[in-house]
Amino acid sequence: MSRKHPAVPPDSTDHQRIAESAAAVDGGLLSMRDFHRWFDERRQAIRMDVQRIPFADLKRWGFQPVTGNLVHDSGRFFSVEGVRARYDGQDPVSWSQPIINQPEVGFLGILVKEIDGVLHCLMQAKAEPGNAEGLQLSPTVQATRSNYTGVHEGSAVRYLEYFTDPGKGRALIDVLQSEHGAWFYRKRNRNLVVEAIGDVPEHEDYCWLTLGQIRRLLGITDLVNMDTRTVLACLPLAQAAGRGDGTSGSGPKNGAVAALTASLSQEAPAAHKLPELLRWYNGTRANREVSVEPVPLAAVDHWVREAHEIRHTSGRYFTIVAVSVEAGNREVTGWTQPLLSPRGIGVVAFLAKRINGVLHVLVHAHPEPGYVDVIELGPTVHCVPDNHAHVSPERRPKFLDEVLAARPEQILYDVVQSEEGGRFYRALSRYMVVEADGDPVVPDDYRWMTVGQLITLLQHSNYCNIQTRSLIACLQSVW
């Protein structure tokens, strides 16, 4: 039964309810065993057949004759274009590359309601064409504007009305956030958590889970999708009781639970106060000499178009490929589309350190050509190691070797997760949180921050990139 609550309860009440849901793992509507049984049933029922095809077999997609851009004939959805970027400074670099241009702002939304006095999230079992393992646990709504306005000529997006009609839901969070700045050009989505007003109809592809149960599932390889992770990270500060049972990756070690818990508190003694961090961050953005210019896809240097892919001449970075999709339970049951396919598995990692008993993570003021403001706060390490295998050790990404050489007792979290499967083909990254060995030298474009400080910034747009948001969600899973 849903408990009645005021139309606009105090913020502190919401924080308490979120914390209670985060602490509930065994007391939800479904047990964890029931969830896995349901998910296995949906895995058998929801089938998606994805086949690589040549570009010539794309339907309603084609290369423009002058620009070479790969576009849909409706002019909607997205296009594959080019971008030229230059970063000046001590080690200036310039390059051009293909990039996905999807100017629409979509919805990434989780619907919640109280069941037996505990907030539950309505989660979807959904397959995307780029997913490595097919089915994933997705938000209630995950839709572009082209999807929900019917450009695809398919069925309506289920539960969308709770996110568009204020009379059907009350927003707990609603914030614009960026997507992958290396692969999307200025792409943003509304990240929402909305509490339902009134009854919510049931559907077999959806189930109700507590926040604590979803956090537990973040310890399983490639189960909780990227869109779920980014929405969960934007929730206000909340913490569950520390488990320390090793269910999430390698598990917290040597009293790290207490340091993790302290890291969530806004009252925790931090290495840098938030106003000081904002001054550093804004100064970095203002002083960094960066230029980004959209160019035709045909004008990018060192990229070649072949029958089945667009690739870099070195064989590194990524390719643009085409796929044919057959799906029985989607708004449209069959289509073709381009996808971006990375070369190799990425590493996305926070280096962590206890300062005055509080866990801090090392963030990087990281530039990407696709960000609206060019620089956002990224993890300590964010790269595909294979792209740097040919360079000398001193030119490899900072702190990469330290993360990869971590001993088991240093590792707080280590799970392979996927990136967005609607635009990327089998894009996987190893998400890690590693306690530093000693006291590393920190360059000026890095800073130690608490998790609580990062979550505070996530109530606003364009501060933390999507890899940071995913790591924040993953890190909270070890409580």
Side-chain angles (χ1 to χ4, degrees), residues 455-471:
I455 294 176
T456 298
L457 293 180
L458 279 173
Q459 310 309 301
H460 309 278
S461 303
N462 301 338
Y463 280 104
C464 299
N465 73 6
I466 197 160
Q467 290 85 5
T468 290
R469 299 197 301 275
S470 277
L471 270 176

Side-chain angles (χ1 to χ4, degrees), residues 114-354:
E114 285 196 3
I115 300 173
D116 295 330
V118 178
L119 274 182
H120 283 64
C121 305
L122 186 60
M123 306 304 296
Q124 179 182 184
K126 186 174 185 179
E128 293 284 8
N131 288 354
E133 297 296 332
L135 206 64
Q136 292 182 317
L137 194 64
S138 305
T140 318
V141 168
Q142 178 181 319
T144 66
R145 182 172 178 81
S146 289
N147 291 145
Y148 66 77
T149 57
V151 175
H152 56 13
E153 299 177 352
S155 58
V157 176
R158 194 170 282 111
Y159 301 113
L160 179 66
E161 65 274 16
Y162 291 92
F163 299 90
T164 57
D165 182 354
K168 284 188 169 290
R170 181 183 69 89
L172 301 184
I173 63 166
D174 185 353
V175 59
L176 282 175
Q177 298 289 8
S178 64
E179 290 210 29
H180 294 73
W183 297 337
F184 277 116
Y185 184 68
R186 299 188 175 183
K187 175 73 170 68
R188 296 190 296 172
N189 279 314
R190 284 178 71 180
N191 287 236
L192 298 108
V193 175
V194 170
E195 184 168 13
I197 297 174
D199 294 333
V200 179
E202 295 182 0
H203 188 275
E204 61 185 356
D205 291 342
Y206 295 74
C207 75
W208 292 100
L209 297 174
T210 67
L211 284 170
Q213 291 174 323
I214 300 170
R215 286 181 175 182
R216 181 70 63 90
L217 296 172
L218 281 164
I220 300 175
T221 297
D222 197 20
L223 176 63
V224 179
N225 83 349
M226 183 205 76
D227 299 309
T228 297
R229 300 194 305 266
T230 181
V231 175
L232 292 179
C234 296
L235 280 168
L237 291 167
Q239 60 197 55
R243 298 195 315 271
D245 57 5
T247 57
S248 191
S250 298
K253 306 286 178 25
N254 300 327
V257 168
L260 285 165
T261 302
S263 188
L264 274 179
S265 173
Q266 291 178 309
E267 306 300 324
H272 308 281
K273 294 188 180 298
L274 196 56
E276 178 187 347
L277 289 166
L278 288 173
R279 183 175 183 181
W280 160 77
Y281 175 58
N282 289 325
T284 301
R285 287 204 291 188
N287 296 329
R288 186 69 63 92
E289 296 181 14
V290 179
S291 66
V292 178
E293 174 191 9
V295 297
L297 182 59
V300 297
D301 302 321
H302 308 299
W303 292 79
V304 294
R305 189 176 95 196
E306 299 175 339
H308 288 79
E309 65 181 12
I310 300 170
R311 63 176 179 83
H312 194 266
T313 54
S314 69
R316 295 190 290 271
Y317 310 121
F318 59 85
T319 60
I320 303 296
V321 302
V323 297
S324 173
V325 185
E326 297 294 332
N329 74 323
R330 293 290 292 267
E331 295 89 359
V332 176
T333 57
W335 70 93
T336 64
Q337 69 171 91
L339 290 171
L340 186 152
S341 178
R343 300 280 204 189
I345 296 178
V347 171
V348 177
F350 273 142
L351 203 60
K353 177 184 174 183
R354 303 181 210 185

Side-chain angles (χ1 to χ4, degrees), residues 353 436-442 448:
K353 177 184 174 183
D437 188 3
D439 192 10
V441 177
V442 176
W448 293 107

